[in-house]
Amino acid sequence: MAILVRTTSHKDDKNRWGTQWQCFADAVSLYGRPFQLDVSAEPETAKCERFYVSPEWFSRNRLSHFGLQGHETFWFSPSNKVVGFNGLVCDWENDWYCNPPFDLKREFLTKAYSEARAGKSGMMLLPYEPLTSWWLDLVEDKATAVYTPDGRYNFLMPDGVTKKSGVNFGSVFVLFTPHKVKITQRIPFKRGCGAALMKVEEAA
């Protein structure tokens, strides 16, 4: 069954850009094991089988009719598993992945650090802006490592299929673990390191 929803948001909404699968495969390869929960996603852009959606998702995708008891009805594809609403409020699980809304980087970084201190490791995809206040306050000496690629990653539009071209900033993977660090390590890598993982999935 298809996802029977309608969106009213602008198709170029930066807060809703999705991670490309090639980029996600690199993240899995660098992380060293599969991610179990996508803490900021939509059905079309989720990279894990289980994911959290934002409360705004319902506002954008509200159906025009109501259930028999007067309750608004939302239909989901049975292949999707929404397991929570609002990743900033829900508890995260170990091995989480996060591509946060562009305007909520601070909030999700604060949450990521809190969850890591509680024993739950994970990885974020973030713009590489090491001289900004949000980076200096919430990444440096808090994240375990920053994985810096040999070029830029592009993104997907909110439909989860259309490639977003012309991205004018570089992105990095930021690793959070329960370990206290004195200095956040920088680890360079080549894009495409997860290509073998994608081939395995395609063959399955």
Side-chain angles (χ1 to χ4, degrees):
M1 178 176 65
I3 302 171
L4 300 179
V5 296
R6 295 291 182 270
T7 179
T8 58
S9 61
H10 193 281
K11 66 179 181 180
D12 195 25
D13 186 350
K14 186 182 292 187
N15 283 325
R16 300 173 60 212
W17 288 358
T19 306
Q20 287 194 355
W21 283 107
Q22 297 92 330
C23 175
F24 183 70
D26 287 352
V28 175
S29 177
L30 294 168
Y31 189 65
R33 58 182 182 268
F35 295 106
Q36 301 300 318
L37 177 68
D38 191 334
V39 299
S40 179
E42 297 182 7
E44 296 83 358
T45 59
K47 291 297 171 286
C48 299
E49 188 177 66
R50 302 166 66 253
F51 59 96
Y52 293 159
V53 296
S54 70
E56 291 76 20
W57 185 84
F58 286 99
S59 299
R60 287 192 300 269
N61 299 285
R62 184 171 291 119
L63 296 178
S64 59
H65 65 278
F66 292 77
L68 294 177
Q69 303 300 319
H71 300 294
E72 288 183 272
T73 305
F74 298 90
W75 298 356
F76 298 89
S77 166
S79 63
N80 293 321
K81 296 182 180 179
V82 178
V83 295
F85 306 99
N86 194 349
L88 291 175
V89 174
C90 295
D91 291 333
W92 295 4
E93 302 172 6
N94 198 39
D95 301 332
W96 50 264
Y97 174 77
C98 182
N99 173 9
F102 199 81
D103 292 335
L104 294 177
K105 296 186 293 292
R106 276 188 171 274
E107 290 82 351
F108 272 91
L109 276 165
T110 300
K111 177 71 170 175
Y113 182 69
S114 174
E115 294 292 332
R117 302 268 37 91
K120 289 165 275 189
S121 299
M123 185 173 280
M124 302 184 77
L125 176 65
L126 290 168
Y128 190 34
E129 300 177 350
L131 299 182
T132 60
S133 60
W134 64 266
W135 183 282
L136 295 172
D137 292 343
L138 300 168
V139 176
E140 292 296 348
D141 304 334
K142 291 183 174 62
T144 302
V146 173
Y147 294 89
T148 59
D150 60 348
R152 292 178 179 174
Y153 284 110
N154 284 323
F155 291 83
L156 296 175
M157 300 294 279
D159 62 9
V161 177
T162 307
K163 293 182 180 180
K164 171 64 183 173
S165 60
V167 175
N168 61 0
F169 58 87
S171 299
V172 293
F173 297 116
V174 179
L175 174 67
F176 283 93
T177 69
H179 310 95
K180 289 186 178 180
V181 298
K182 293 183 178 180
I183 299 175
T184 298
Q185 296 184 48
R186 296 297 196 279
I187 303 174
F189 72 96
K190 291 185 178 297
R191 288 170 299 161
C193 62
L197 295 176
M198 290 192 67
K199 290 181 181 178
V200 169
E201 290 187 0
E202 290 172 355

